[in-house]
Amino acid sequence: MNKNLLLVIFPFFVASIATAQIPKGSLLLGGGINFGNGKSESGNFTSKQNNFNVSAAIGVAIKENAFFGAFLSYGQSDFKNNNSPSRQENTTYGAGVFMRKYFLLGKKFYLFGEADLGYGHNKASQISGIDQQTITKGWNINLSLKPGISYALTKKFHLELGFNELAGIDYGKSETENISLAGSAITKNSGFGFRTNVGTNTPLNIGFRFLFSK
């Protein structure tokens, strides 16, 4: 290619990359939602499962392409067996802080990595028979990694697709009450755990972010 032509094109290429960077001091607002459902049949038995999670986040760019912020989350899931009284319900609430780093892939595409440190509270109820119910309440502190890809539809609006939770570790405590006609019994547990959503029904999270630069 002619050297003079390269000298003309190169400044425009550099300018397009530079304008795609997210400057320090930018404000990030956004949220995410993921949901899934499943159904299985075996003979006369039919079971259904539903999952729903939503989150909101706000952050500030502490340096170019890097954000620190806070988030809130809510989730609900249930499992039903249409041919028996068996049923499970689970509700979760969460809040915490995050660090997110963007890596420019092209003029409008970004790869991002996010680390979250959060607190969660959950309540689960399981009915396994006419006279049998289990209620579990607990809390946990967790650290998780959430990579993904973001696309800038405009300078201020990004759509993104990421892993709901690629990997995470947590510590928590829970209290389980087993209720039956014979009475009730309470069991307490605590400990560390490791988890990943890879291979589950809802491994991906569809989200959006608004970016406001100074």
Side-chain angles (χ1 to χ4, degrees):
M1 184 179 291
N2 188 286
K3 291 184 179 180
N4 291 330
L5 182 59
L6 285 175
L7 291 174
V8 173
I9 294 176
F10 184 72
F12 289 99
F13 173 76
V14 172
S16 68
I17 295 296
T19 57
Q21 302 295 335
I22 303 171
K24 179 180 178 180
S26 297
L27 179 67
L28 177 150
L29 298 173
I33 182 171
N34 70 80
F35 55 89
N37 59 73
K39 179 179 180 181
S40 62
E41 297 181 1
S42 178
N44 295 325
F45 293 92
T46 302
S47 61
K48 296 181 180 180
Q49 181 175 353
N50 299 287
N51 302 281
F52 174 79
N53 294 276
V54 63
S55 63
I58 181 171
V60 176
I62 55 177
K63 61 181 181 179
E64 188 177 75
N65 291 344
F67 285 85
F68 176 79
F71 66 88
L72 297 172
S73 63
Y74 170 80
Q76 189 171 30
S77 64
D78 63 78
F79 174 86
K80 301 177 183 178
N81 192 322
N82 295 339
N83 303 91
S84 76
S86 177
R87 177 172 182 158
Q88 299 178 27
E89 295 181 345
N90 187 53
T91 302
T92 61
Y93 303 88
V97 295
F98 69 90
M99 287 288 297
R100 173 178 284 213
K101 174 69 175 178
Y102 285 93
F103 302 91
L104 183 64
L105 296 178
K107 188 175 181 179
K108 294 186 177 182
F109 282 95
Y110 299 85
L111 176 68
F112 67 82
E114 180 175 314
D116 294 356
L117 177 63
Y119 170 85
H121 178 82
N122 72 284
K123 179 179 180 180
S125 175
Q126 178 179 351
I127 298 174
S128 54
I130 297 176
D131 62 346
Q132 185 69 41
Q133 183 179 12
T134 301
I135 299 175
T136 301
K137 298 178 181 179
W139 60 265
N140 68 84
I141 298 173
N142 60 82
L143 176 65
S144 60
L145 301 177
K146 303 177 180 179
I149 295 177
S150 178
Y151 177 73
L153 283 176
T154 69
K155 290 182 179 180
K156 295 183 178 181
F157 184 72
H158 287 212
L159 286 178
E160 60 185 45
L161 180 67
F163 279 99
N164 183 37
E165 189 171 69
L166 179 63
I169 56 174
D170 62 43
Y171 173 79
K173 291 186 176 183
S174 65
E175 182 178 285
T176 301
E177 182 179 12
N178 294 296
I179 305 170
S180 66
L181 293 178
S184 64
I186 295 177
T187 303
K188 296 182 179 181
N189 294 287
S190 63
F192 288 91
F194 172 82
R195 64 193 180 282
T196 177
N197 274 344
V198 177
T200 65
N201 289 332
T202 56
L204 297 178
N205 180 64
I206 300 173
F208 64 90
R209 293 291 185 273
F210 289 99
L211 293 172
F212 301 97
S213 302
K214 287 186 174 181

